[in-house]
Structures are given as C-alpha cells and as structure tokens.
Amino acid sequence: MSILDWFANKKNLDKKKSIKNIDKLNIPGNLWVKCPKCSEVLFSKDLELSYKVCSKCSFHFRITPEERIDYLLDNNSFVELDKDIKPVDFLKFEDTEPYEDRLIKAQEKSKYLDAIIIGTAKINGIPVNIGIMNFFFMGGSMGSVVGEKITRIIENGIETKNPVIIFTSSGGARMQEGILSLMQMAKTSAAISKLSSLKIPYITVLCDPTTGGTSASFAMLGDIQIAEPGALISFAGPRVIEQTIKQKIPSGFQRSEFLLDHGMIDNVVHRKDLKKTLKNIISILQAQEENK
Amino acid sequence: MSILDWFANKKNLDKKKSIKNIDKLNIPGNLWVKCPKCSEVLFSKDLELSYKVCSKCSFHFRITPEERIDYLLDNNSFVELDKDIKPVDFLKFEDTEPYEDRLIKAQEKSKYLDAIIIGTAKINGIPVNIGIMNFFFMGGSMGSVVGEKITRIIENGIETKNPVIIFTSSGGARMQEGILSLMQMAKTSAAISKLSSLKIPYITVLCDPTTGGTSASFAMLGDIQIAEPGALISFAGPRVIEQTIKQKIPSGFQRSEFLLDHGMIDNVVHRKDLKKTLKNIISILQAQEENK
Amino acid sequence: MAKSLEFERPLLELYDKIEQLKGLSNGNDNLADEITQIEKRAEKMRKEIYSNLTPNQIIQIARHPNRPDSLSLARLICDNFFTLHGDRVYRDDPSIIGGIGFVKKSRVMLIGHQKGHGTKENIYRNFGMPHPEGYRKALRLMKLAEKFGIPIITLIDTPGAFPGIEAEQRGQAEAIARNLKEMSDISVPIISFVIGEGGSGGALAIGVSNKMYMLEYSVYSVISPEGCASILFRDAKKADIASLNLKITAKDVLKLGVIDEIIKEPLGGAHNSWKKVASTIKRQITKDLNEFNVQSEQEIKDQRYNKFRQMGRFTS
Amino acid sequence: MAKSLEFERPLLELYDKIEQLKGLSNGNDNLADEITQIEKRAEKMRKEIYSNLTPNQIIQIARHPNRPDSLSLARLICDNFFTLHGDRVYRDDPSIIGGIGFVKKSRVMLIGHQKGHGTKENIYRNFGMPHPEGYRKALRLMKLAEKFGIPIITLIDTPGAFPGIEAEQRGQAEAIARNLKEMSDISVPIISFVIGEGGSGGALAIGVSNKMYMLEYSVYSVISPEGCASILFRDAKKADIASLNLKITAKDVLKLGVIDEIIKEPLGGAHNSWKKVASTIKRQITKDLNEFNVQSEQEIKDQRYNKFRQMGRFTS
Ligand SMILES: [Zn+2]
Ligand SMILES: [Zn+2]
C-alpha cells in the first residue's frame, strides 16, 4: 500500500527543483548542488568526497548502487551475481502506460535490468554477501526479480556462510506484478528464516526510503538493523495515513530517529561511519573460529 | 514491592465490615453474607452452592484451597504432595513482630504450614498436577516454601508428563525471607522453562489477588493464562502507584478484564465454567496419543 | 439477504414479484404455473449473473456486510471453540481473533481477521484492519499451536494493514515481517482460507501456509483496487479498471499458482448461508489434515518453503 | 568527590584542613610533618569509616550520584562498544542500555540498567527504573547473543521496577517473568554484577546468571528498605532498621549464597575511580570467560539452573 508514498515522493521530486538538482550531479559542468534540507549550496566534488552527505546539516542524499559500492566495500572486491535476471510483464498490466514500456524506459535510463544488484564483496577483508536496492529504478519497487535476487543472495550466504548485508531503498511492492509481488515478501522472509536457523549473520541497512512491502519483509528481519540518518522507514507512508485516516502526522514521524526511539532499529549510523561499523558488527557476530 | 497492596488490602479487610462478613461464613448460625461489591444479602448456603460467586453481580469471593478442590477437581482425586515442608525464620527477621511468631500464628489460624498446597488430581478423569495458593496464609506471600513447592509440582509434572495447573493468589514475595524470597521468582521460572521445553502444558488460573513477585514469575508464564473475573493482577499495585507516582488510577485498572484488553491473559472465565474450560484446554493441548 | 448488491437488483425484483403472486394466489392453482415459470426464470438469471461477475462485482460480494465473519465461522467449524486473547505485550487486538477447538476429532488452532457486521461492531473491530499487536497475537498463538503439535487454520478477511499513526509507531512493518519469517518455519501444517478480502501485507501476515484456498467470491491482492487506481491510474475512480489489471479474483489467483483450490460458495454468495460455507471449509480441513497426518515436520516445512520459493515470474 | 555523604563529613573536614595547611605551608618544612600526620589520621579514619559502614550508609554509597553508570563502564570495559537499541515492539527504553564489543579478545553482549548523573539525565533514564520494553530489549539482546554464541554481561543498577500506570498496562509482570524463564535456559554464559542498587524484580530481570557479583558497596534486596519499612514497620522512617533486617549488603548476600564473590571498590567507593572499577570488573570477566570457554552449552545451562534450584531455606 505504501507505494503510494513512493509516488508522493516522486511527485515531490518532480516539483521541487532543489531535489532535482541531485540528478544534475552527473552532468559535467554542474558543479553546485543545493541541500534540499538546509539549502546550503555544496560543491559537488566535495559532496562526493563526503559520502554525499551535506557538510552543514548531515542530510544524506540518496545514492546509486555504484556509489554505495564505492563508499562501503573494499576496492574492486564486489563481484556481481545473477546479473541477467529480467522482469516480465506477465499480467499485461497497463495503467497510464503498459508495464512493459515502463520497464524498458527504466532499463534504458539506468543501466540495470531491475531495482537491485547482488554480489559478493569484502569489507575490511571480511567476505560478505551484499544486496543493494536501487531507488532510481521504478522507486526500488519489489517485483519477482527483486524477490528472486534477494532470495538468491541469501541462499548463497547459506552455502558460503558469508554474512548477508542488504541495503534497502524501496517504495514497496511492484503493483504491476499483482499478487506475485506480494508473495515476494513471503519468499524473501522464508529464505531469511533459513539463514537465521543456520546462525549466519544478517544485517540490514535501511536507507531512504524503505517502505511498504519491503519494510514489512526482509528489511525488518535483520539480526542487527541500522539506518542511515533521516531515512523514511514505514509500512503505510505519511501521505496514505493523512489521506486515509485524516490524522495529522507528527514531525519526524517514520524517520530513522523516530524508529530508533520506538524500538524498531538498533542504531542510526552516519554514512561515513558505516563501513567500520559493519566491520565491527560482523567481527563480533561471527565467532573467531568461523572467520575466514 | 506490591506486597504493599496486600497490606493495603489487609487493612481494608480489617476496616470494611462487609468484607469481614466473609470470614463469618464458617461460624455456625451466621447464615447471611453481604456481597462486598453490590451489597446484595446472600444466603450463605446458596453462596457455597454457587461457587462462592454473588448471584446478583458475579462478584467472585476469595476461596480457600479446600473450596477450590471441591469446586474444580474430581471427587476425592486430590492427593497432596510434600505436605511437610516448613518455613524457617533464617534471617531472624523482626518488624512489628518476629517472623517466627507470625508464622506460628498463621499456621495455627489456618491448618497449613505455608501459603500453598500442591498435589496430583483428576479433572474429568484427566490426571493433572495442581498447585493452589492460599491468600489467607500471610497474604499468599512467596517465601522459600512456596517457591520450593511450586518447583516440585513442576518437576513432578516433568516426570509424570501431567499438565500442571497453578491457581495463583498472592501478595508477592515474602519480605521476611529477604533476598531468598526474590530468588524464588527465578527458581520457579527456571523450572517452568524446563517443563516448557518438554512441551508439557502449563496453565495458570489467576485469582484475586495475584501481585508482586508472584505475578512477575510463575503466574505469567502459562501456555494459557486464564483469570477469574475481577481479580486484581499486577506487579506494582494500585496503592503503590498512587503513592509513589501520584498518578490517578483509572477505574478497572489491573483487574482481569483490563489485563484481557491489554493482551496479558487469554481469557476471563467464570468460576462455574472453570472445570469444563480446563478440561477442554487440556484435552486440546495434549495430543491424543499422549492422553492417559 | 439483508442488504442487496447493485447487480442483483433485477433478480430481487423478480423475487418480489414471486412473493406478490404467492400472496395473491392463496392456494389458487391458476397462478401456480406462472409462479413456477418466474421462479425458473429467476433461477436462470441468478446463475447467469453469478457466472459472469466482474472483479468489481466480486469485490462487492467479498465485502458484503453479511458475509460470514471469522468468529462465526470458527464456531460453526469447531467444536468446543475457546477463544484465546492477547499478544502478551501490548493489547488484545479485536481485529484478529484466535482460539482452539476440535474439527471432528482433530485439534486445531484457528486464527482469523475479524470484521463486524454493523457500524458499531466494525469500529470495534477496526473494519478487520489489524494493528501490530494483532499480528503478534496471531504469531503467539501459532507458536503455541506449534509447541503442542496443533495444526493451524487461518481465515483471511481484511482490507489490509491499518494506515494509522499508532500502527506505524508500534511497528506494523516489523510485525508483518516477523510473521512471514516465523510462519515459514512452523512445524505444524497451516491451512489458509481467504473468506472475504485478502488485502496486501495484512492478509499475507497470517497467510504463509501449506494450503491456501479462496472462497469463490473472495479477492486477494497486493493493494486495494482503489489504492492502485489512485496511484497508478492517478484517479481513485478507476478502481474498476485497476481491479481488472491486478488479477485479484479466485480464478486469477489460482492461475497464478498462489492458491491451491477455489472453495465453492452457495449461489448468491457466502452471505446466503454461513452454515454451508462453514461445512465446506470444514470438509476441506478434514481432508487436508488427513493428508498432513502422514507427513513429518520437516516435510511440512519443506512443502511450505518450496511453494513460496518458486513464486515469481522472470526470465534470464 | 563531587557530592559528599553524611558519614564522610568528619573525613572531609580533615581533608579541608590538610588543604589549608598545604596552602599555608607553601614549601615550608615546619608544617610538612603536621600535614603528613593529619594525612595519616585521615587515611586511618577513612579505613575505619569504610570498614564499619551500616547497611544504610552503604545504600548511600550505592546510590551516590557519581557512582559509575552502566554505559560509562561498558565503554571502559569493552573495546569497540556499539550500542544496540529497541525491543522491536514498542520503544527503546533509555533505562536499560545494551551493546556489543570486545573484552580483550572475547566478544561480549553487555546489558545494564542505566541511571543518570544529573536530574535531567535521570528523568530521561527514569532513574534507572525500566518499563516493560526495557526488559524486552534486554531479552532480545540476550537471544541475539545466544544465537551467535556471545557471552552476556549484565550490570545491575536499579531502584526496581517502575510503579507507574503505563508500565503496568504494558505488562511489566509478564516482561519480568518472561526474562526469568528465558534467561534460565540461555546457552551462553551470563555474568552479572550488581554495580549499585539491585532493586527487586527489576534487578533480577537481568540477573539470572551463571556468576553473580556485587560491588563492595552495592546492595541487593527484595524490596527497598523504605518500602519494607512503610509496609512491615508501618513507618517509612524506619528504613534504617528495615535495611538491617533485610540483609542487603554484599557481605550478607554472599552469606546467603546468592552471589559468588564481592568485587572490591576503591577506598571511599566506586565513584572515586570509575576506571579502577571498570578494570576490576574487566579482570573478573576475562577470568570467568576463560573458565566457561571449556564448558559445553548444556553444562552452562545446568550450572545456572542448579544454582537457582537450590536457593531457599526450609525444613521438612
Ligand atoms: Zn544540508
Ligand atoms: Zn454482588
């Protein structure tokens, strides 16, 4: 349901110039970016060097999978798995445009086939299995491909005993795949249950935004759950709540810090500290004799 | 801590004539009892036949272990165990009077050595292990003897595979046994953990009142927890809360029905339905092939 | 039939006529023939209407205020049904009910979403939309059932999770996620029936089962057609076309491999006879439990896992 | 010493005098002798005071506002301590902290009651009195530790459970009881230290451990002396005599077989050197973990079970 929010955000994105500037980072010559939170004007090179975090107010910009790999994993350690799995418009779903067309557009715009990449990598020399969702691909929505790849990276963890780390960023289930998108929640959660019974560490890093069916499945099942500051994390998003229930949303509602206060996550960690934090957590959860 | 309430209640008992009448039931010639809740005047013989429940307002009078045996267990099926375990004043505790003297008085007044009896019995032919606390013995407070006997009836259940049913009625830990009374909470809970890992049914029936250390240990650990209507069930009792925190207590607070609404018990069952309810529960929890 | 559905109106007019004629006839044989004829016509019309229902019409039946609710079905399906309450943490959520009882000689734990039939009851039941404590109660009861080897039946009937501040605050995402994870590993059989609305995560949270059925006129969907319409079609009034696209009827969901079978309803819908619905469900439960009886715990877990493992369509 | 305790006043007066003399002396050798003498006297007095403390005086030390808190000790005891929050159900209770880290080369999960040092912090920490969600967080972290074979350290420092409406409403009895039950069956070693106040059920709820220690000037009691006095002595002012009767000092509790050993504090109490306290605790943890290292999970569970099983005194 809370994919509503993804759309709400999408609309806001379209409206708010300040946020749209983020996209322009990739355009050569566009050297300045305005922080959407504090309006500070940031030099884009500096911003990239500071993990895409505003130096003034610590606003965490949404980042691409490549940027995340760059910031968090040992150099050149990432090996992508199951790269070729492709989505299918099996319902012939057509809203304002056919799902098939949406997919082609999204694939052309990004260089990805769907909203997640998975692979093996190292963090400070420790082998890990990694999944990174891509909000820039159809709002990171979870259809069959996302569900399958999440499941496979977990199954790979079961084989290799590597800890599994998933970076979530998703508006929820992909409606265009109907009931089968809902079933991905059960499928991924069941895989995590197997991983869990083998006592292999599973860590989730909740990034902005993590909502709907994604939050209500693999995102919330980490042995340890950390969030980036200020991330929107919810099942039903603020807009749905306001519309449906006519309740006024309190400030800070459903942001990382709110979830921390309400007992849902273990900690909020600044992006610059994420790598060493993950390294520390893994080295504690994995018994010495099991370390490879 | 909430033994405070036991005392509060005790003081009220001393004050309120209406409640004091209950005691007079045993005095020959005293044929009438006034309901402390609705003030209905009840014929004591009728009251006994109606499970000591007010026919007008369903107020559940506190009852003695013998009455409970009479109402709930198959005729003559109860066989008491570990009858001879006696309390000791090992701290030489002396408040307004020595613990030793208090014990002697309580033992003389009741015909019991301490605040619980345990034994085996049958409910509609099904063998069960039973513990019945006795609020009339020092407010049902839990010292070493109560803790030991609870533990033994559970251990007996582990041996015989009989389901264990405990009727709680207690003001909490017995302060006169200091830290060792606190330890009875851990001891009994640990025994229940063993019982639980063997998948032997453990059912608690919470009777008025169940507070303090008793509620925060074996009383709240039932596979199924039912309460008699209107029973006070709490850790810190209403009086302690009012005194300490200066908070006004909402009406119905900490009564069975309140706990039901707040998710703490499975159901509230009228005393007259208790036997058949227990029989039903046991016959469902125990697999057929395990029934004896 | 207390409340009539729009598309049934022509049918109801016929019935009215029959009633009128019967009143007039008063044992008069002249009218008897005509009555019989109209009755036949009505029966034919009824069959026609009910064999050509649109998804949107099916939703109306699924949401019918007199559709049988979980608690009533539980009492019709089970002997000695005893309700169990509470999550042992925060609250007893009235929008999910649970309890133990016998189906014939089999012990069962039955859990279901609970809607009300009138406004007052619906408000109390929050229209069948659980708060997190509802899912947590359900999970507690499932774990209890697992402990004592009691098979689990779930009845699914919810518009979905509740989009409210408190439900979010108390972590409904966490609660649903945990149920999905834990249910996948439960060692007793779980049999689920969508009896009305199977709405998104709120439905799935008690629907990770070994066997999954839908009543003939129930629906199961990732999102309500209204929600989908307002998001994807940018027009909440396009629920009709959204419901077509989403493929939410029992037939569609069966084709997608998400359910095992469709449970026939009495003609005109389940609200016409709760007893018939209950006895059909009861028969299915008995049949399934007999099958599961000969399976090991591991087989039961594996079957459930594998079923969900292969859900999803993609190429590579 | 930021705040002084009543019974230390004569001692502090001596120290004041020493300071004054030192100021006067200004390198003057004549006074040096006298200073040394008074210093010796002070030292003697200090030892005397601290070797003859009444239970009531010990309580004052145990409750000293500068007494080291769990979080500060955690950071002194552990390398790379990383705090973990939340019960995954309702709230992150600030009156119980937890986290993972290393003690030398051993991985540990450390959990403790958390008091504040000033009024503002104390209100935030609810004076170290947990709500149910605090116990539930503690249990969640213990289960996490068990899953990954990480030994558990608990630091106990609470006046007790919180006598408030919400704490009752959210089931603190259930939360404490569940912890007692679950802790008794945890397969990793649990080592507990009463570092200040060990107040009744709120303390025990994280204290069902394999090894139990008390800092020299800590207390452990079934009820606060004040509470006991107002109930049994019918006079809240008789806390002094109640504390004598209750036998709550480390020495008394050791005699009763409830703890394994007493951990020495720096002279004058733990608040005089947090670092020293931390390093003593750290040494004890390292020693114990080495012992537990060679034990099986079953041995660890059995040892804990048997320890509590034999607590209690009675005849028959
Ligand atoms: Zn900024
Ligand atoms: Zn009455």
Side-chain angles (χ1 to χ4, degrees):
Chain A
M1 257 216 245
S2 64
I3 191 118
L4 275 171
D5 289 298
W6 166 58
F7 257 83
N9 284 328
K10 201 163 173 295
K11 281 179 205 156
N12 288 338
L13 274 174
D14 295 344
K15 275 182 222 152
K16 283 190 199 160
K17 247 191 175 173
S18 56
I19 298 184
K20 224 180 172 181
N21 277 336
I22 307 163
D23 290 4
K24 291 189 191 150
L25 273 172
N26 298 321
I27 302 164
N30 193 300
L31 299 173
W32 299 95
V33 176
K34 207 178 185 184
C35 172
K37 194 178 165 198
C38 74
S39 298
E40 180 80 353
V41 176
L42 305 160
F43 185 48
S44 68
K45 206 70 205 165
D46 287 347
L47 187 60
E48 272 168 49
L49 288 173
S50 60
Y51 302 87
K52 287 236 172 130
V53 174
C54 171
S55 54
K56 197 182 169 199
C57 76
S58 278
F59 174 81
H60 281 53
F61 287 77
R62 287 176 188 158
I63 59 177
T64 63
E66 306 89 69
E67 286 170 321
R68 213 169 272 290
I69 288 170
D70 187 38
Y71 291 149
L72 285 159
L73 306 177
D74 293 355
N75 270 346
N76 300 317
S77 70
F78 183 75
V79 180
E80 192 174 350
L81 297 174
D82 295 309
K83 197 175 174 170
D84 300 328
I85 302 182
K86 267 189 290 214
V88 187
D89 179 16
F90 54 88
L91 294 182
K92 302 290 165 210
F93 197 102
E94 185 170 345
D95 44 77
T96 53
E97 67 185 310
Y99 178 38
E100 197 162 9
D101 296 356
R102 279 190 194 276
L103 284 173
I104 292 167
K105 273 191 206 164
Q107 286 162 348
E108 279 170 1
K109 201 179 153 201
S110 70
K111 47 183 182 299
Y112 297 108
L113 294 175
D114 210 309
I116 191 169
I117 60 169
I118 58 171
T120 57
K122 290 190 176 182
I123 291 181
N124 282 35
I126 305 175
V128 291
N129 278 16
I130 297 282
I132 305 176
M133 298 188 84
N134 186 357
F135 189 75
F136 301 108
F137 189 106
M138 288 189 75
S141 57
M142 169 163 61
S144 299
V145 172
V146 168
E148 181 69 18
K149 288 176 88 169
I150 292 275
T151 306
R152 289 199 190 178
I153 195 64
I154 292 164
E155 288 173 337
N156 184 289
I158 290 171
E159 274 173 49
T160 60
K161 308 270 186 271
N162 283 352
V164 179
I165 305 173
I166 293 179
F167 298 85
T168 62
S169 183
S170 165
R174 190 173 293 169
M175 288 172 278
Q176 290 92 344
E177 298 193 10
I179 194 75
L180 286 188
S181 70
L182 186 71
M183 293 304 126
Q184 304 310 308
M185 292 168 65
K187 175 164 130 181
T188 53
S189 302
I192 289 162
S193 179
K194 281 210 167 176
L195 188 77
S196 180
S197 65
L198 293 167
K199 302 183 179 182
I200 297 164
Y202 172 56
I203 299 159
T204 55
V205 182
L206 311 177
C207 308
D208 185 57
T210 296
T211 65
T214 298
S215 78
S217 59
F218 59 90
M220 277 292 169
L221 294 172
D223 291 309
I224 289 185
Q225 297 175 178
I226 53 194
E228 287 196 339
L232 177 74
I233 304 163
S234 70
F235 185 62
R239 192 146 156 280
V240 184
I241 295 172
E242 271 182 339
Q243 283 185 349
T244 321
I245 311 297
K246 318 287 178 208
Q247 276 184 298
K248 194 77 206 130
I249 303 300
S251 109
F253 183 61
Q254 297 180 324
R255 296 287 163 182
S256 305
E257 299 71 18
F258 180 90
L259 270 86
L260 185 65
D261 286 349
H262 286 84
M264 294 301 145
I265 55 175
D266 282 294
N267 223 322
V268 177
V269 177
H270 192 288
R271 197 176 283 156
K272 76 171 155 43
D273 299 323
L274 211 41
K275 186 174 181 178
K276 72 163 187 258
T277 300
L278 288 171
K279 191 242 159 190
N280 187 31
I281 291 171
I282 295 165
S283 64
I284 293 171
L285 296 192
Q286 280 189 321
Q288 250 94 3
E289 57 273 23
E290 287 165 9
N291 277 347
K292 277 159 293 184
Chain B
M1 254 218 244
S2 63
I3 191 116
L4 274 170
D5 288 299
W6 167 56
F7 256 83
N9 284 327
K10 200 162 174 296
K11 280 179 204 158
N12 287 338
L13 273 175
D14 295 344
K15 275 182 221 152
K16 285 190 198 160
K17 246 190 174 174
S18 55
I19 298 184
K20 222 179 174 182
N21 276 337
I22 308 163
D23 289 3
K24 290 191 193 150
L25 273 173
N26 298 323
I27 302 165
N30 192 301
L31 298 173
W32 299 95
V33 176
K34 205 178 186 185
C35 171
K37 195 178 165 197
C38 73
S39 297
E40 180 81 354
V41 175
L42 305 159
F43 185 49
S44 68
K45 206 72 205 162
D46 287 348
L47 188 61
E48 271 168 49
L49 288 173
S50 59
Y51 302 87
K52 287 237 173 128
V53 174
C54 171
S55 54
K56 196 181 168 202
C57 77
S58 278
F59 175 81
H60 281 54
F61 287 77
R62 287 176 188 159
I63 59 177
T64 64
E66 306 90 67
E67 286 170 320
R68 213 168 271 290
I69 288 170
D70 187 38
Y71 291 147
L72 285 158
L73 306 177
D74 293 355
N75 270 345
N76 300 318
S77 71
F78 184 75
V79 179
E80 192 174 350
L81 296 174
D82 296 309
K83 198 175 175 170
D84 300 328
I85 301 182
K86 267 189 290 215
V88 186
D89 179 16
F90 54 88
L91 293 182
K92 302 290 166 211
F93 197 102
E94 185 170 347
D95 44 77
T96 54
E97 68 185 308
Y99 177 39
E100 196 162 10
D101 295 356
R102 279 189 193 277
L103 282 173
I104 291 168
K105 274 192 204 164
Q107 287 162 349
E108 279 171 1
K109 201 178 154 200
S110 70
K111 47 184 182 299
Y112 297 108
L113 294 175
D114 211 309
I116 192 168
I117 60 169
I118 58 171
T120 58
K122 290 189 176 182
I123 292 182
N124 281 38
I126 305 176
V128 290
N129 279 16
I130 297 282
I132 306 176
M133 298 188 84
N134 186 355
F135 189 75
F136 302 109
F137 188 105
M138 288 190 75
S141 57
M142 167 162 64
S144 298
V145 172
V146 169
E148 181 69 18
K149 288 176 87 169
I150 292 274
T151 306
R152 289 199 190 178
I153 195 63
I154 293 164
E155 287 174 337
N156 184 289
I158 290 171
E159 273 174 48
T160 59
K161 309 271 184 268
N162 283 352
V164 179
I165 305 174
I166 293 180
F167 298 85
T168 62
S169 183
S170 164
R174 191 173 293 169
M175 287 170 279
Q176 291 92 342
E177 297 193 11
I179 194 75
L180 285 188
S181 69
L182 187 70
M183 293 303 126
Q184 303 310 308
M185 292 168 65
K187 175 164 129 180
T188 53
S189 302
I192 290 161
S193 178
K194 280 210 168 177
L195 187 76
S196 181
S197 64
L198 294 167
K199 303 181 179 183
I200 298 163
Y202 171 56
I203 299 159
T204 54
V205 183
L206 310 178
C207 309
D208 186 57
T210 296
T211 65
T214 297
S215 78
S217 58
F218 58 89
M220 277 292 168
L221 294 173
D223 290 309
I224 289 184
Q225 297 174 178
I226 52 194
E228 288 195 339
L232 177 74
I233 304 163
S234 70
F235 184 62
R239 193 145 156 281
V240 183
I241 295 172
E242 272 182 339
Q243 283 184 350
T244 321
I245 310 299
K246 317 288 178 207
Q247 278 183 295
K248 196 76 205 132
I249 304 299
S251 107
F253 184 60
Q254 298 181 325
R255 296 287 162 181
S256 306
E257 299 72 17
F258 180 91
L259 270 87
L260 185 64
D261 286 348
H262 286 85
M264 293 302 145
I265 56 176
D266 282 295
N267 223 324
V268 176
V269 177
H270 193 288
R271 197 175 282 157
K272 75 171 155 43
D273 300 323
L274 211 42
K275 186 173 182 178
K276 72 163 186 260
T277 301
L278 287 171
K279 190 242 162 193
N280 187 31
I281 291 172
I282 295 165
S283 64
I284 294 172
L285 294 193
Q286 278 188 322
Q288 250 94 3
E289 57 274 23
E290 286 164 10
N291 276 347
K292 277 160 293 182
Chain C
M1 211 181 307
K3 292 223 175 183
S4 67
L5 300 168
E6 183 66 33
F7 59 86
E8 284 189 324
R9 214 159 281 173
L11 187 63
L12 292 177
E13 280 163 14
L14 271 189
Y15 281 120
D16 274 354
K17 202 164 179 185
I18 292 168
E19 287 306 305
Q20 280 173 29
L21 286 173
K22 278 184 178 166
L24 288 174
S25 78
N26 210 3
N28 181 342
D29 274 358
N30 294 354
L31 283 174
D33 264 10
E34 194 172 345
I35 291 172
T36 314
Q37 281 239 311
I38 302 180
E39 277 177 340
K40 271 187 194 162
R41 188 138 57 92
E43 199 51 27
K44 204 182 152 204
M45 185 187 279
R46 190 168 180 146
K47 274 187 188 153
E48 249 170 45
I49 289 175
Y50 273 84
S51 55
N52 290 295
L53 294 171
T54 66
N56 200 46
Q57 287 170 334
I58 291 174
I59 290 172
Q60 288 174 56
I61 306 174
R63 290 176 183 166
H64 195 287
N66 284 356
R67 200 161 172 88
D69 59 280
S70 291
L71 200 51
S72 303
L73 286 176
R75 291 190 171 125
L76 291 167
I77 293 168
C78 301
D79 297 321
N80 292 341
F81 188 70
F82 180 70
T83 58
L84 301 172
H85 296 263
D87 64 348
R88 295 291 181 278
V89 175
Y90 185 78
R91 196 177 71 114
D92 182 52
D93 187 341
S95 60
I96 288 191
I97 60 97
I100 46 178
F102 289 95
V103 173
K104 301 212 170 166
K105 298 220 161 163
S106 303
R107 312 168 299 145
V108 300
M109 172 72 76
L110 189 147
I111 296 159
H113 300 100
Q114 184 67 21
K115 290 184 180 177
H117 295 291
T119 306
K120 198 182 154 195
E121 204 195 342
N122 254 323
I123 288 169
Y124 173 64
R125 300 293 186 179
N126 201 34
F127 298 85
M129 290 182 281
H131 278 72
E133 49 270 23
Y135 308 119
R136 290 178 182 134
K137 167 166 70 177
L139 182 59
R140 182 181 75 82
L141 296 183
M142 290 191 250
K143 292 274 185 182
L144 183 68
E146 181 182 39
K147 179 174 178 181
F148 294 107
I150 304 170
I152 297 163
I153 313 297
T154 72
L155 304 181
I156 293 169
D157 188 17
T158 180
F162 184 62
I165 288 176
E166 295 214 327
E168 286 292 313
Q169 197 164 295
R170 297 201 289 272
Q172 63 184 341
E174 192 280 341
I176 293 170
R178 196 191 306 199
N179 277 22
L180 304 183
K181 180 187 168 200
E182 299 290 333
M183 284 184 83
S184 79
D185 199 42
I186 275 186
S187 60
V188 292
I190 305 175
I191 308 171
S192 296
F193 297 85
V194 184
I195 60 168
E197 284 183 278
S200 81
L204 186 61
I206 61 167
V208 183
S209 49
N210 295 80
K211 291 272 191 177
M212 182 83 175
Y213 302 96
M214 285 176 74
L215 293 195
E216 193 175 0
Y217 307 123
S218 68
V219 293
Y220 195 9
S221 179
V222 63
I223 185 169
S224 71
E226 294 81 358
C228 179
S230 85
I231 299 169
L232 288 187
F233 297 80
R234 315 213 166 186
D235 182 356
K237 284 170 216 133
K238 291 190 172 160
D240 217 342
I241 182 163
S243 71
L244 272 170
N245 273 278
L246 282 166
K247 306 281 190 297
I248 62 177
T249 67
K251 277 183 196 167
D252 287 326
V253 176
L254 181 66
K255 267 186 222 150
L256 288 164
V258 171
I259 60 166
D260 293 270
E261 262 176 62
I262 296 170
I263 305 275
K264 276 273 174 199
E265 295 191 23
L267 196 62
H271 51 284
N272 288 292
S273 172
W274 294 10
K275 273 192 188 165
K276 274 189 198 164
V277 175
S279 78
T280 324
I281 292 176
K282 190 171 176 174
R283 215 174 308 129
Q284 190 64 54
I285 293 172
T286 309
K287 184 165 167 277
D288 286 348
L289 289 186
N290 282 337
E291 283 177 29
F292 285 121
N293 249 341
V294 297
Q295 293 184 21
S296 72
E297 291 185 356
Q298 195 56 51
E299 282 170 333
I300 286 164
K301 288 205 263 185
D302 287 347
Q303 184 261 326
R304 192 188 306 121
Y305 186 87
N306 294 333
K307 187 177 96 170
F308 285 94
R309 177 63 189 90
Q310 51 82 35
M311 284 188 191
R313 301 211 182 160
F314 51 86
T315 61
S316 58
Chain D
M1 211 181 309
K3 292 224 176 182
S4 67
L5 301 168
E6 183 66 31
F7 60 85
E8 284 190 323
R9 213 159 281 173
L11 187 63
L12 292 176
E13 278 163 16
L14 271 191
Y15 280 120
D16 274 354
K17 204 166 179 186
I18 291 167
E19 287 306 305
Q20 279 174 25
L21 287 173
K22 277 185 179 167
L24 286 175
S25 75
N26 211 1
N28 182 340
D29 274 358
N30 296 353
L31 283 173
D33 263 12
E34 194 172 343
I35 292 172
T36 314
Q37 282 239 314
I38 302 179
E39 277 177 341
K40 274 185 193 162
R41 189 138 57 91
E43 200 51 25
K44 206 181 148 201
M45 185 187 279
R46 191 166 180 148
K47 276 187 186 151
E48 252 171 44
I49 290 174
Y50 274 84
S51 54
N52 291 295
L53 294 170
T54 65
N56 201 44
Q57 288 169 333
I58 290 174
I59 290 171
Q60 288 175 54
I61 305 174
R63 291 175 182 167
H64 195 287
N66 285 355
R67 200 161 173 88
D69 59 280
S70 290
L71 200 50
S72 302
L73 286 175
R75 291 191 171 124
L76 290 168
I77 293 168
C78 301
D79 297 321
N80 292 343
F81 188 70
F82 180 69
T83 59
L84 300 173
H85 296 263
D87 64 348
R88 294 293 179 277
V89 176
Y90 186 77
R91 196 175 70 115
D92 181 52
D93 188 339
S95 60
I96 287 191
I97 60 98
I100 46 177
F102 290 95
V103 173
K104 301 212 170 163
K105 297 220 163 163
S106 304
R107 311 169 299 145
V108 300
M109 171 71 76
L110 189 148
I111 296 160
H113 299 100
Q114 183 67 21
K115 291 184 180 176
H117 295 290
T119 306
K120 199 183 151 194
E121 204 195 343
N122 254 324
I123 288 169
Y124 173 64
R125 300 294 186 180
N126 202 34
F127 299 85
M129 289 182 282
H131 278 71
E133 50 269 25
Y135 308 119
R136 290 176 183 136
K137 166 166 70 176
L139 182 58
R140 182 181 75 81
L141 296 183
M142 289 190 250
K143 293 275 185 182
L144 182 67
E146 182 181 38
K147 179 174 180 182
F148 294 107
I150 304 170
I152 297 163
I153 313 297
T154 72
L155 304 181
I156 293 168
D157 189 17
T158 180
F162 184 63
I165 288 177
E166 295 216 325
E168 286 292 314
Q169 197 164 299
R170 295 201 292 272
Q172 63 184 341
E174 191 279 342
I176 293 170
R178 195 190 308 198
N179 277 22
L180 304 183
K181 179 186 168 200
E182 299 290 332
M183 283 185 84
S184 79
D185 198 43
I186 275 186
S187 60
V188 292
I190 305 175
I191 308 171
S192 295
F193 298 84
V194 184
I195 61 168
E197 285 183 278
S200 81
L204 185 61
I206 62 166
V208 183
S209 49
N210 295 80
K211 291 272 190 174
M212 183 84 174
Y213 302 97
M214 285 176 74
L215 292 195
E216 193 176 0
Y217 306 123
S218 68
V219 294
Y220 196 9
S221 180
V222 64
I223 184 170
S224 70
E226 293 82 356
C228 179
S230 85
I231 300 168
L232 290 187
F233 296 81
R234 315 211 167 187
D235 182 355
K237 283 171 218 135
K238 290 192 173 160
D240 218 341
I241 183 162
S243 72
L244 272 169
N245 273 279
L246 282 165
K247 305 282 190 295
I248 63 176
T249 67
K251 276 183 196 165
D252 287 327
V253 177
L254 181 67
K255 267 185 224 149
L256 289 164
V258 172
I259 60 167
D260 293 272
E261 261 175 62
I262 297 168
I263 305 275
K264 276 274 173 199
E265 294 190 25
L267 195 64
H271 51 283
N272 287 293
S273 172
W274 295 10
K275 273 192 189 166
K276 273 188 198 162
V277 175
S279 77
T280 323
I281 292 176
K282 190 171 175 173
R283 216 175 306 128
Q284 190 64 52
I285 292 171
T286 309
K287 184 164 166 278
D288 287 347
L289 289 186
N290 282 336
E291 283 177 29
F292 286 121
N293 250 341
V294 297
Q295 293 185 23
S296 71
E297 290 185 355
Q298 195 55 52
E299 282 171 334
I300 286 164
K301 288 205 263 186
D302 287 347
Q303 184 261 327
R304 194 188 306 122
Y305 186 87
N306 294 332
K307 187 177 97 169
F308 285 94
R309 176 63 190 89
Q310 51 83 35
M311 284 188 191
R313 300 211 184 161
F314 52 85
T315 60
S316 58

